[in-house]
Amino acid sequence: AVQEFMRSTVKEAETVGEVRTLLGRRRPIPELRATNRQTKSLGERLAVNTVMQGSAADIIKVAMISVEGRLRAEGRISKLVLQVHDELLVEAVEAEVHAVKEILREEMVAAFSLKPSLVVDIGSGVNWAVAKD
């Protein structure tokens, strides 16, 4: 399945000269039209990586906006403070930890509908290192 995805992504990019993330962000890939094999290989990698990593970036941005909106709409003291790759870090007061975990789970899963659904692992602790364990 992964190999077929990669082949079809490269083939489509060669045809139209660009790729799009799941949310429609566009990246031209002129390297795919190169006659130099190294340059063409770079284009193939760029095409696949853009779709995968660009889509992940788009989805986490949607989740961030939704999480921040929910925290504000519910009048929470807790604050979204950091995003690293596919992780969100929230400074939460103890009284809100359970509710904030649910907000994170709901909004991150709802950021984009996929089959199977996105999976969210949530940790908590006195610092990021403890929360990640």
Side-chain angles (χ1 to χ4, degrees):
V2 172
Q3 294 295 329
E4 179 54 33
F5 163 77
M6 292 170 62
R7 276 191 293 275
S8 66
T9 298
V10 170
K11 184 177 179 183
E12 182 176 342
E14 287 173 337
T15 302
V16 298
E18 67 182 29
V19 292
R20 291 184 182 265
T21 65
L22 289 173
L23 292 175
R25 194 159 38 103
R26 183 181 78 84
R27 179 178 186 175
I29 311 285
E31 294 86 353
L32 289 171
R33 294 199 167 97
T35 55
N36 178 288
R37 183 65 199 143
Q38 273 188 306
T39 304
K40 187 169 175 67
S41 287
L42 171 64
E44 292 170 356
R45 291 190 305 277
L46 287 171
V48 173
N49 286 342
T50 296
V51 174
M52 297 299 292
Q53 293 176 348
S55 294
D58 290 350
I59 292 168
I60 198 69
K61 287 173 192 170
V62 169
M64 287 172 57
I65 292 166
S66 298
V67 166
E68 180 64 20
R70 281 275 302 275
L71 291 173
R72 286 185 184 195
E74 294 182 14
R76 302 282 175 194
I77 298 168
S78 302
K79 301 286 181 207
L80 177 61
V81 295
L82 182 67
Q83 176 251 327
V84 178
H85 303 294
D86 63 347
E87 297 181 24
L88 298 179
L89 179 67
V90 175
E91 286 186 348
V93 295
E94 187 65 37
E96 293 181 354
V97 169
H98 178 73
V100 168
K101 284 182 175 182
E102 288 308 307
I103 290 169
L104 284 165
R105 183 175 319 282
E106 290 169 10
E107 297 304 328
M108 290 180 82
V109 168
F112 193 83
S113 179
L114 291 170
K115 298 285 185 203
S117 297
L118 292 170
V119 174
V120 178
D121 295 322
I122 298 177
S124 63
V126 295
N127 60 45
W128 191 18
V130 173
K132 288 181 64 119
D133 287 339

